[in-house]
Amino acid sequence: MVQPEHGPRLRPSLGGIPSYKPGKPAGADAFKLSSNENPYPPLPGVLEAAVAAAGSFNRYPDMAVSGLVAELAERFGVPAEHVATGTGSVGVAQSLILSAAGPGDEVVFAWRSFEAYPIITQVAGATPVPVPLTADEAHDLDAMLAAITDRTRLVFVCNPNNPTGAALHRDELVRFLDAVPADVLVVLDEAYREFIRDADVPDGVELYRDRPNVCVLRTFSKAYGLAGLRVGFAIAHEPVADALRKTAVPFGVSQLAQDAAVASLRAEDALLERVDALVAERARVTAALRAQGWTVVDSEANFVWLRLGERTLDFAAACAEAGVVVRPFAGEGVRVSIGEVKGNDLFLGAAEAFRKEL
Ligand SMILES: Cc1ncc(COP(=O)(O)O)c(C=O)c1O
């Protein structure tokens, strides 16, 4: 980072941190399949709750987030003291790192995975330890175990993994958790939990119950469709949840977000019908891609992954030309969110045309 000759002295370490790259915005008539958002607009009851809360945004929100925390505690059958909320689950993830790791400490995660992990690790002054995925795009749990040292304070397990969609099964994850030292915090990032249909993928909430070093991270941004309102939460044993309340930005979850999240939980049946529709689309898109000749791993999330290597940016450009914005990771591959049927069809058309030119 360039340090100006005059002016404030910023932390030189920020120079090595990449800026978070959001999915590209789509033009007026393009489909945005680049940010793993929910393509459906807010449900009526949810929108009304947010609009009602907007009438008092001259006030600070309920700092304890009591209504939502109580609702989540009941929903998951956990004590309210085990629930901590934040500004999106990325906000909670940042608080988790600030709670557990600082300069000289290490944070282990699979790579490629959620792109915020290395950023928020370095913002806390800690050292990221990325562990390459297996050849079939999954976490390499043995390699992750081997990467744990005396300096490791936190391990992220992204299940299913963003951007590949691959999910870990119960037996392998339990074996991993049993082998991780008890003083290392394991964060099971389940941002896409509601899209999982493979019965062998465990629910992290069951795994956390008798493991004080395990924490589950969830969000209202994906299945629940509240990405723009920024609310996520962790379920963790009290010392961890307490630390999250200390390190969170005060009043970070707006009253709009709190009330919309409560309304979303109450409208869950309607929301989960939409999730079912997206899962059906995921199956259709995956099957169509395979029929075109692409290799696609099973995704348990609301996106699919194509490993394109050097052709990644060309492929993304071809999609943009066809009216769909996808998320390229240069030199690696493209992640494509499952969206509206029309957007998915445009993407499949672009993929087929691209494949024929290979
Ligand atoms: C694995 C994973 N975790 C966390 C997040 C953060 O989502 P949010 O901050 O909107 O809850 C994302 C978003 O893309 C994600 O993919």
Side-chain angles (χ1 to χ4, degrees):
M1 185 166 52
V2 182
Q3 290 283 2
E5 264 174 51
H6 304 289
R9 284 166 56 150
L10 304 176
R11 286 164 57 203
S13 59
L14 294 184
I17 305 181
S19 299
Y20 187 94
K21 281 202 204 82
K24 254 196 182 169
D29 47 357
F31 287 87
K32 183 169 178 243
L33 303 182
S34 54
S35 291
N36 294 343
E37 295 151 332
N38 193 315
Y40 294 104
L43 282 173
V46 175
L47 187 57
E48 277 151 21
V51 168
S56 53
F57 64 42
N58 54 312
R59 304 285 177 195
Y60 286 107
D62 170 8
M63 182 155 151
V65 195
S66 17
L68 176 57
V69 165
E71 199 102 7
L72 288 169
E74 182 166 343
R75 156 69 47 106
F76 291 103
V78 300
E81 296 72 28
H82 286 204
V83 181
T85 57
T87 313
S89 59
V90 73
V92 186
Q94 184 159 32
S95 294
L96 281 164
I97 298 181
L98 289 171
S99 302
D105 298 331
E106 295 175 348
V107 175
V108 172
F109 47 81
W111 198 250
R112 178 169 283 279
S113 188
F114 180 35
E115 73 170 304
Y117 296 154
I119 299 173
I120 57 183
T121 298
Q122 291 172 90
V123 167
T127 305
V129 179
V131 178
L133 296 172
T134 62
D136 49 2
E137 312 285 8
H139 282 47
D140 187 339
L141 292 179
D142 289 337
M144 289 175 74
L145 264 184
I148 294 175
T149 69
D150 287 349
R151 295 181 170 197
T152 309
R153 295 289 173 273
L154 189 150
V155 179
F156 281 109
V157 175
C158 189
N159 202 26
N161 188 45
N162 172 11
T164 62
L168 293 163
H169 284 171
R170 184 173 289 101
D171 50 353
E172 52 186 338
L173 191 49
V174 165
R175 220 178 311 123
F176 175 79
L177 294 176
D178 288 346
V180 173
D183 62 354
V184 173
L185 180 61
V186 181
V187 179
L188 303 177
D189 185 343
E190 299 186 332
Y192 303 95
R193 168 73 207 162
E194 297 80 5
F195 297 97
I196 294 173
R197 291 296 177 271
D198 179 345
D200 290 332
V201 179
D203 181 337
V205 178
E206 296 315 316
L207 298 175
Y208 112 97
R209 288 189 196 277
D210 56 356
R211 291 182 170 83
N213 67 327
V214 172
C215 161
V216 181
L217 200 53
R218 298 276 181 96
T219 182
F220 283 95
S221 296
K222 311 295 180 183
Y224 289 88
L226 302 187
L229 288 180
R230 313 306 301 127
V231 53
F233 62 97
I235 297 179
H237 290 269
E238 223 167 312
V240 176
D242 262 350
L244 287 175
R245 286 184 277 271
K246 287 182 191 166
T247 50
V249 173
F251 303 108
V253 183
S254 73
Q255 202 62 48
L256 267 79
Q258 295 184 32
D259 292 359
V262 168
S264 298
L265 285 170
R266 293 182 183 164
E268 205 172 32
D269 289 348
L271 279 169
L272 294 183
E273 267 176 39
R274 293 174 164 193
V275 171
D276 280 342
L278 291 169
V279 168
E281 271 298 279
R282 176 179 79 198
R284 183 179 76 89
V285 168
T286 303
L289 288 170
R290 286 178 181 155
Q292 291 172 15
W294 297 98
T295 300
V296 189
V297 295
D298 286 332
S299 170
E300 294 292 328
N302 66 339
F303 49 82
V304 292
W305 169 250
L306 290 179
R307 193 165 278 283
L308 285 141
E310 295 310 311
R311 301 191 301 264
T312 295
L313 295 182
D314 289 345
F315 183 88
C319 288
E321 188 86 347
V324 266
V325 183
V326 300
R327 179 72 169 90
F329 296 92
E332 294 178 61
V334 163
R335 187 193 68 201
V336 187
S337 309
I338 300 296
E340 301 88 335
V341 172
K342 182 151 183 243
N344 302 336
D345 282 342
L346 284 176
F347 159 63
L348 287 172
E352 186 168 31
F354 193 89
R355 179 115 206 136
K356 282 188 182 139
E357 303 239 315
L358 288 183

